[in-house]
Amino acid sequence: RVISVTSIVTTSIPEFASAPILTAFFVFLLGWLPATSAMFHGFDPMQIILPVLVLVIYDFGYVTRMTRASMAEVMTTNYVRTAVLKGVPYKRVIISHALRNALITPFTVIMLQFNWLLSGVIVVESFFAYKGLGLLLLEAALFQDVFLLEAATLLVVFVAVLTHALSDVGYMYLNPRIRFS
C-alpha cells in the first residue's frame, strides 16, 4: 500500500511543480545541491542530480504501478500455479516464470516514456538553466528559427522510432513465443 500511495503521489505531481518543490527542499532547506545545472565549468555530477530526480520521480510512479498490476495478473495464471504445485521454489517461480512475463507491459511503458521524456526535458531544462535539446527546441520556437526547429524535431522523431523498434526487439527476449518474420 505504501508503494501504491507513493507512486500515485509522484505520478500526480508534474515536472513544473516537482522542480520547485525539490529545489526548495534540496537547495534552500538542506543546501545539498546547486540550484542550476548550467555546467559552466565542465560536467559536474552534482548539478545533474536534481534535474534527473525531477524527471525520474514522475515516471517512477507510473512504471511502479504498471509493474505491480502486471505482476499481480501474472501470479494468478495457470502456469505459475502449476509451478508452485510441482514444488518449484517460490523465488525461482517469481524470477523464471512470473517476472519475465510480467515485464512485457512495463517494458512497453518504459520504451514509450522516452517520447514523454523528451517533452518533459523542455520544462526541466528551462527551470534548471541546462543547455540541452529541450532548451534548444524552446529557443528555436521562441525565435521562430524554423530550420533548427525542423532539425530538432527530426531528431526527436528518430528517437521515437528507435525506441519503438527496440521495444519490438525486446518483446522477443521477454516472450519467446513472439517472433517477427
Side-chain angles (χ1 to χ4, degrees):
R1 294 188 191 271
V2 170
I3 292 171
S4 293
V5 169
T6 304
S7 63
I8 288 171
V9 168
T10 59
T11 304
S12 64
I13 302 173
E15 300 93 357
F16 61 84
S18 64
I21 292 170
L22 291 175
T23 300
F25 184 72
F26 287 110
V27 174
F28 300 118
L29 187 66
L30 298 175
W32 290 352
L33 299 171
T36 62
S37 300
M39 306 281 179
F40 289 128
H41 304 292
F43 181 75
D44 181 15
M46 292 301 288
Q47 291 183 10
I48 204 81
I49 291 174
L50 210 49
V52 168
L53 188 63
V54 169
L55 289 172
V56 167
I57 280 180
Y58 179 80
D59 196 36
F60 173 76
Y62 190 62
V63 172
T64 303
R65 290 179 62 212
M66 283 294 195
T67 305
R68 183 186 176 282
S70 182
M71 193 67 174
E73 181 182 339
V74 168
M75 290 303 288
T76 62
T77 58
N78 291 333
Y79 62 88
V80 171
R81 189 175 310 125
T82 302
V84 170
L85 292 175
K86 284 173 64 175
V88 177
Y90 196 69
K91 186 175 182 178
R92 186 166 172 223
V93 170
I94 297 289
I95 301 294
S96 299
H97 298 286
L99 188 60
R100 187 170 182 174
N101 289 315
L103 283 179
I104 292 173
T105 304
F107 179 72
T108 305
V109 169
I110 290 168
M111 295 309 282
L112 292 175
Q113 290 298 322
F114 276 102
N115 301 331
W116 164 85
L117 181 66
L118 290 174
S119 66
V121 162
I122 296 171
V123 173
V124 173
E125 286 179 3
S126 298
F127 185 84
F128 291 107
Y130 181 77
K131 301 286 185 185
L133 180 64
L135 204 55
L136 180 72
L137 275 167
L138 179 65
E139 289 176 359
L142 290 175
F143 294 119
Q144 298 177 354
D145 189 352
V146 176
F147 299 117
L148 182 59
L149 195 57
E150 287 175 347
T153 304
L154 184 65
L155 180 66
V156 170
V157 169
F158 176 74
V159 169
V161 170
L162 182 68
T163 57
H164 282 76
L166 288 174
S167 174
D168 289 342
V169 171
Y171 286 151
M172 289 190 302
Y173 291 109
L174 290 174
N175 190 351
R177 295 175 294 182
I178 298 174
R179 292 286 175 236
F180 298 105
S181 55

